[in-house]
Structures are given as C-alpha cells and as structure tokens.
C-alpha cells in the first residue's frame, strides 16, 4: 500500500477507536474505503498479484466482524446491507450463503428484511 493509503487507514482506525461504537457512518465510510481499495486491487488480479492486495478483502471482513457486534439490529442494517453487497461481488458462494443465514438469524421476523441487487 502507498503512504497515503497507510495514513488514511490510521485516521480511520483512530476514528473507529473513538467513535466506532456510536457512529455507524464512520464504520460505513471506512468499510467503503477498504472496499474501494479492493476494487483497485481486483483489477490487478489478472496481472501481477501483490499479497497485500489480497489482504484487502480480509481487512474489510475483519472490520465488519469487529464492529457489527457493537450495534443493535435496528441500527446495524446499513452495515449488513453494505457487507452483503460486497460479499456478493467479491466473496464465494459459501460465504454468501453463510452471510444470508446470519442475516436471517439477526432479523428472524423479516421486520428488517431487505433485498439486495
């Protein structure tokens, strides 16, 4: 990763440390940042693969897993939606199916059900 990316990552991490349990918007922005890095990295997969690029998917997943437990279901819906879109785009079938089961467990009544394209 370049120096600017490292700086941005440190800033986001500090924001998560300070506000990650309260402000869902900073989590969504950080997740979007990591996903955008993965978008750039995915273009490289058919040329020269850099191991740090392959870790971006793991970084985004780790962020999601780290913060999703901090929010009740009624507030966490944007995170679940964002992660599901990402998983469907970059993940494999097994990961997508596991995520769908988790979403069904979190929203069993369908009250918070959502459709993803």
């Amino acid at each position: 990763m370049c120096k600017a990316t490292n700086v941005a990552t440190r800033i986001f991490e500090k924001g998560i440390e300070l506000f990650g349990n309260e402000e869902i918007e900073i989590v969504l922005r950080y997740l979007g940042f990591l996903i955008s890095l993965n978008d750039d990295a995915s273009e490289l997969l058919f040329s020269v693969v850099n191991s740090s690029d392959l870790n971006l998917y793991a970084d985004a997943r780790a962020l999601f897993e780290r913060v999703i437990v901090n929010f009740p279901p009624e507030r966490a819906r944007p995170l679940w939606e964002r992660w599901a879109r990402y998983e469907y785009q970059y993940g494999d079938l097994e990961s997508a199916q596991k995520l769908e089961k988790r979403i069904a467990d979190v929203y069993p009544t369908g009250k918070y059900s959502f459709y993803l394209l």
Side-chain angles (χ1 to χ4, degrees):
M1 279 193 268
C2 71
K3 185 176 181 179
T5 301
N6 288 334
V7 170
T9 300
R10 287 196 315 266
I11 291 169
F12 274 119
E13 282 296 328
K14 190 63 173 176
I16 293 293
E17 178 185 321
L18 295 173
F19 306 108
N21 295 339
E22 304 161 13
E23 294 296 327
I24 205 163
E25 188 62 32
I26 192 163
V27 176
L28 287 169
R29 298 289 179 160
Y30 189 17
L31 193 55
F33 170 73
L34 291 173
I35 289 169
S36 73
L37 292 177
N38 190 51
D39 287 345
D40 294 342
S42 66
E43 294 174 8
L44 299 173
L45 291 179
F46 295 106
S47 57
V48 177
V49 176
N50 181 334
S51 63
S52 67
D53 294 335
L54 295 177
N55 290 331
L56 296 172
Y57 178 75
D59 291 346
R61 178 183 299 281
L63 173 64
F64 174 78
E65 296 297 344
R66 183 173 46 154
V67 300
I68 196 64
V69 297
N70 297 332
F71 297 98
E74 60 274 4
R75 289 193 59 220
R77 182 177 170 173
L79 285 173
W80 285 107
E81 290 173 345
R82 186 65 171 111
W83 185 251
R85 283 194 316 267
Y86 181 64
E87 193 68 68
Y88 292 150
Q89 186 172 9
Y90 293 104
D92 56 24
L93 178 61
E94 182 180 349
S95 297
Q97 289 173 332
K98 285 180 183 178
L99 179 63
E100 287 174 357
K101 182 179 179 339
R102 284 180 70 188
I103 291 171
D105 290 344
V106 172
Y107 302 107
T109 63
K111 179 179 178 184
Y112 297 102
S113 65
F114 49 89
Y115 298 96
L116 303 164
L117 300 174

